[in-house]
Amino acid sequence: MTITDAVRLSSLPAQSAVSLWDLSSPAWVVPPTMTCGQLDARLRGGGGEAHSSVVVRDPRDGRTGSVQRTRFERAMSGPFGFGRALLHRRSVTAVTVFDEPVLPPSATLGDALATIFDRPEERRYDDLVLRRGDAWRRLPVTAVLEAAASRMAWHASRDPLTGLANRAAFFSHLEHLVTAARGAGDARIGVVYVDLDRLKAVNDSLGHALGDALIRSVAERLRAASRPGDVVARLGGDEFAVACRLTETTPGGARRALEDIATRHLEAVRAPDPDLDDAARSSASVGAALSGPVDGAVRVDALVREADTAMYAAKQAGGDRVSGVHALGLVPEQAGGFARALRRGEVVLHHQPIVDARTGRVLSAEALVRWQHPRAGLLGADRVLRAAREEGLSVELDRYVLRRALEQHARWRGVPGAPGLVNVNVSPTGLASPTFAEGVLGLLRDTGTDPGELRLELPETASLAAVRSAAPQLQRLAGEGVALVVDDMGAGASSLRHLSAFPVQGLKIDRSFVAGMLDRDGDRAVVELLVNLGAGLGLRVTAEGVETAEQARELRDLGVDALQGFHIARPAPAAELFG
């Protein structure tokens, strides 16, 4: 299968269509009679300072080609500085690449990506050429990759049926609301949980098409009922949620405000939709949960869980109602609590196997950080990473996790069935540390680990500037044999650019695309794109979040190299996995 077969990005839903014409800029068109010396003089004299490439158009035979500026300047310098003497009188056709596809203004993002990845590797990042009548434009490959990454990021955060935020994006927005509210005195966060009472009956009696129409209609009504700044999401199936910041100064005032919001959303669901069949209408069971003042740590997962519990109480009472608002007593973390947790050994590792997609053999295990909190119980990676950021301990946490992961890897050496590799995550802050590479190599020496056994998972969330600044250290690690992997590929707007910024050996497809690939053409298109992208660049592709046998079979058929997820094994302490 070629990349042209795989790229179907134009089928992905997006807020607006991507216009390649708008992404491009006017091209400088020169005739084949121009000499290399004349072109060189124009470029060096400032006539083409804004142009990274030049279009060469021969009106006699209609042939079109392009001259890439960087390659042209290297040719004019030439070996031992004689390039200008050799090429000065020759036609620009001597350095022109002809017969490159010329894209029409109607070309899609998928067309542009297919053209890029069908090229030989040495010309992959040359500007593309577009034409509309007598107008010629050049399109940098970086602009195409950034547009593709933006579309994938938008798709990864949206429910494809309704366009609302999806579950992952909802929790992210909720965290942002908490951050914005922190320090605002008595500001509180509320979550309203909405569950449709009749979706199953509508699907069973009228069909899934009308069920989908009901979901879309409810989504629009909930969105209309929300206040500016509130976040409305579809969490899955017939479940919706609304996150809101409440500025009422008293607990009673905040509770009444949240009750009003919950009631307004229930009434929105009850309201008739003239575009829906009467039999397709539904009521809802609604629950709500209210945080304490946002002046310390807020467990957003606990807040959502409490709202879900309140919703279930409304459902048990017969539905079509709002249950009372559940208030969540939130105790702020004490200052320096995470530093003490590191010292006390409360920060622990769970490990999740990564297996060969075809044989099922265990290849590696990813080290996943957890916090065995003395009061709140076992806390997940998101809470650990946030606590480390808040106390400025991200670099220390990276070293702590890497040391313990390598120590455990050493203990597994020789154990039957144990992995031969270990995957460890790096934070954006850790990546920016000037001692990053030396610290990694030092821990490899301390634990007697061969560098080729370590796979560092680099954060998709790191900015391109941060990655480029770390490139020398990443090059050093790669030169020593450490494998570098881009994590959560496709979940944000930076990951495609990362592939050309440092020496990558692998990529991991974000779990959000794996979760939807069997039901949504857009998710499947992204998975296919990333598999073919990996194959074209010689990268090992791992799919995260594999939860069913059907997903595993489909991923194998698409050519994914390795699988990770609950279908394979849940994260667990080392002693429960390989002894």
Side-chain angles (χ1 to χ4, degrees):
M1 178 181 289
T2 67
I3 195 70
T4 307
D5 298 319
V7 175
R8 292 201 301 270
L9 276 177
S10 55
S11 70
L12 296 182
Q15 290 164 305
S16 60
V18 175
S19 167
L20 298 185
W21 195 263
D22 291 341
L23 294 178
S24 64
S25 56
W28 183 17
V29 183
V30 302
T33 54
M34 177 177 277
T35 66
C36 289
Q38 289 170 330
L39 177 59
D40 186 40
R42 289 284 299 277
L43 289 173
R44 298 176 76 191
E49 70 279 354
H51 295 272
S52 55
S53 62
V54 175
V55 174
V56 179
R57 174 73 172 161
D58 190 338
R60 296 168 299 183
D61 58 14
R63 285 207 308 162
T64 301
S66 65
V67 178
Q68 300 300 309
R69 182 170 183 165
T70 54
R71 208 155 42 235
F72 174 74
E73 289 174 343
R74 284 198 301 269
M76 293 301 285
S77 298
F80 312 110
F82 293 118
R84 284 189 171 82
L86 295 171
L87 292 172
H88 183 76
R89 296 181 182 278
R90 297 186 65 183
S91 164
V92 291
T93 57
V95 291
T96 300
V97 176
F98 282 104
D99 301 322
E100 279 279 290
V102 175
L103 298 176
S106 59
T108 66
L109 192 55
D111 295 332
L113 287 167
T115 301
I116 291 167
F117 290 107
D118 278 341
R119 286 171 161 174
E121 186 171 351
E122 65 272 14
R123 299 208 311 271
R124 184 160 290 156
Y125 296 101
D126 289 0
D127 289 354
L128 300 175
V129 178
L130 288 81
R131 180 186 183 184
R132 176 190 287 158
D134 293 330
W136 295 82
R137 296 177 77 87
R138 60 181 184 85
L139 176 59
V141 168
T142 52
V144 176
L145 296 180
E146 286 170 352
S150 295
R151 177 171 285 197
M152 289 162 58
W154 185 90
H155 179 69
S157 67
R158 296 287 164 171
D159 170 58
L161 182 60
T162 64
L164 296 177
N166 61 17
R167 176 180 287 273
F170 179 74
F171 277 88
S172 177
H173 284 304
L174 197 50
E175 292 280 9
H176 288 313
L177 280 178
V178 170
T179 301
R182 185 170 284 123
D186 286 333
R188 299 166 190 266
I189 301 299
V191 171
V192 175
Y193 208 105
V194 179
D195 184 276
L196 301 184
D197 292 331
R198 296 193 61 253
L199 180 63
K200 185 178 186 305
V202 171
N203 282 333
D204 290 348
S205 61
L206 302 175
H208 285 271
L210 272 178
D212 287 350
L214 170 61
I215 290 171
R216 285 192 294 268
S217 173
V218 168
E220 284 302 315
R221 284 177 275 157
L222 292 177
R223 192 179 355 232
S226 64
R227 310 173 308 167
D230 291 352
V231 179
V232 184
R234 183 185 177 211
L235 302 184
D238 56 2
E239 297 179 346
F240 299 82
V242 183
C244 47
R245 178 182 170 187
L246 302 163
T247 57
E248 284 70 15
T249 57
T250 65
R255 181 189 292 270
R256 286 190 294 274
L258 187 57
E259 285 176 345
D260 290 343
I261 292 169
T263 300
R264 187 162 66 247
H265 285 87
L266 173 61
E267 291 171 348
V269 176
R270 287 172 174 166
D273 182 344
D275 295 328
L276 272 181
D277 188 296
D278 285 346
R281 293 178 183 172
S282 179
S283 56
S285 299
V286 180
L290 178 67
S291 79
V294 184
D295 55 3
V298 172
R299 292 274 307 281
V300 296
D301 55 339
L303 190 60
V304 175
R305 195 162 52 244
E306 197 66 27
D308 184 20
T309 300
M311 179 278 295
Y312 186 71
K315 183 80 72 178
Q316 290 293 96
D320 193 24
R321 69 191 65 210
V322 175
S323 76
V325 172
H326 287 204
L328 194 62
L330 300 169
V331 180
E333 293 291 342
Q334 294 180 347
F338 187 70
R340 282 191 292 275
L342 282 173
R343 290 196 303 269
R344 295 171 180 170
E346 294 172 6
V347 178
V348 298
L349 297 187
H350 284 195
H351 304 264
Q352 188 171 37
I354 301 171
V355 303
D356 186 285
R358 283 156 189 78
T359 67
R361 181 173 65 89
V362 177
L363 303 173
S364 184
E366 181 178 353
L368 301 168
V369 68
R370 301 288 187 264
W371 182 356
Q372 191 62 60
H373 195 284
R375 291 177 296 157
L378 189 68
L379 304 180
D382 288 347
R383 182 65 187 90
V384 179
L385 298 176
R386 187 171 76 244
R389 284 196 304 272
E390 289 172 350
E391 296 189 25
L393 295 173
S394 293
V395 174
E396 288 78 0
L397 177 62
D398 280 358
R399 289 182 59 82
Y400 180 97
V401 170
L402 180 58
R403 175 179 290 281
R404 276 149 185 77
L406 294 177
E407 289 171 347
Q408 180 56 57
H409 182 67
R411 287 192 287 272
W412 274 335
R413 205 166 283 132
V415 174
L421 304 171
V422 56
N423 282 47
V424 181
N425 293 277
V426 180
S427 69
T429 306
L431 193 62
S433 169
T435 61
F436 171 61
E438 187 54 48
V440 171
L441 295 174
L443 290 174
L444 287 169
R445 289 191 295 269
D446 291 348
T447 56
T449 304
D450 188 293
E453 296 175 2
L454 174 61
R455 295 170 64 84
L456 286 179
E457 297 195 8
L458 305 175
E460 194 283 332
T461 53
S463 70
L464 188 63
V467 170
R468 282 180 170 160
S469 68
Q473 300 202 70
L474 295 172
Q475 293 279 4
R476 181 183 176 191
L477 290 173
E480 294 288 341
V482 175
L484 306 177
V485 179
V486 178
D487 195 16
D488 296 331
M489 187 73 180
S494 304
S495 51
L496 285 175
R497 296 290 300 277
H498 288 177
L499 295 181
S500 62
F502 55 80
V504 179
Q505 284 80 49
L507 62 87
K508 299 181 79 173
I509 301 174
D510 184 67
R511 65 184 64 249
S512 63
F513 299 112
V514 174
M517 63 176 293
L518 298 180
D519 303 314
R520 298 192 288 268
D521 289 342
D523 283 346
R524 182 185 172 85
V526 173
V527 172
E528 288 189 77
L529 167 65
L530 295 177
V531 171
N532 283 277
L533 178 62
L537 298 177
L539 308 179
R540 188 169 184 83
V541 178
T542 300
E544 298 181 293
V546 182
E547 297 192 353
T548 68
E550 190 176 4
Q551 287 173 344
R553 282 194 299 272
E554 189 70 16
L555 290 163
R556 272 195 299 270
D557 291 344
L558 290 175
V560 168
D561 300 299
L563 306 175
Q564 179 181 0
F566 286 1
H567 175 66
I568 310 302
R570 290 178 175 270
E576 297 179 15
L577 291 173
F578 308 107

